[in-house]
Amino acid sequence: IKTVCQKYFGIQMEYIGYLEYDHSVWQAVRRKKVLSMESPNSTLVGHFQNMIKRLQGNGKRDFEMRL
């Protein structure tokens, strides 16, 4: 994906994380609740938090996107 973004769009992307399937998402949707409030210790919420830290520059690597 990084190569495709660079080649076709001229954008340099850096990997910031991934999101796994999590059953707690469906439970929160059915209850019409915010996932991070309904299941704050879920794996998915943890992955979101890690990605946010990287985007903010507080993670292991700084997010970098150049146009």
Side-chain angles (χ1 to χ4, degrees), residues 2 4-5 10 14 18 26 30 33-38 40 44 47-49 54-55 57 64 66:
K2 183 177 180 176
V4 170
C5 287
E14 186 175 323
Y18 64 96
W26 290 110
R30 285 187 196 126
K33 302 287 184 180
V34 177
L35 177 64
S36 60
M37 301 291 281
E38 186 75 7
L44 187 63
H47 288 189
F48 269 125
Q49 290 172 340
R54 287 186 178 148
L55 288 170
E64 198 172 290
R66 296 185 187 119

Side-chain angles (χ1 to χ4, degrees), residues 2 8 12 20 51 66-67:
K2 183 177 180 176
Y8 294 102
Q12 290 184 353
E20 293 180 356
M51 291 170 70
R66 296 185 187 119
L67 298 177

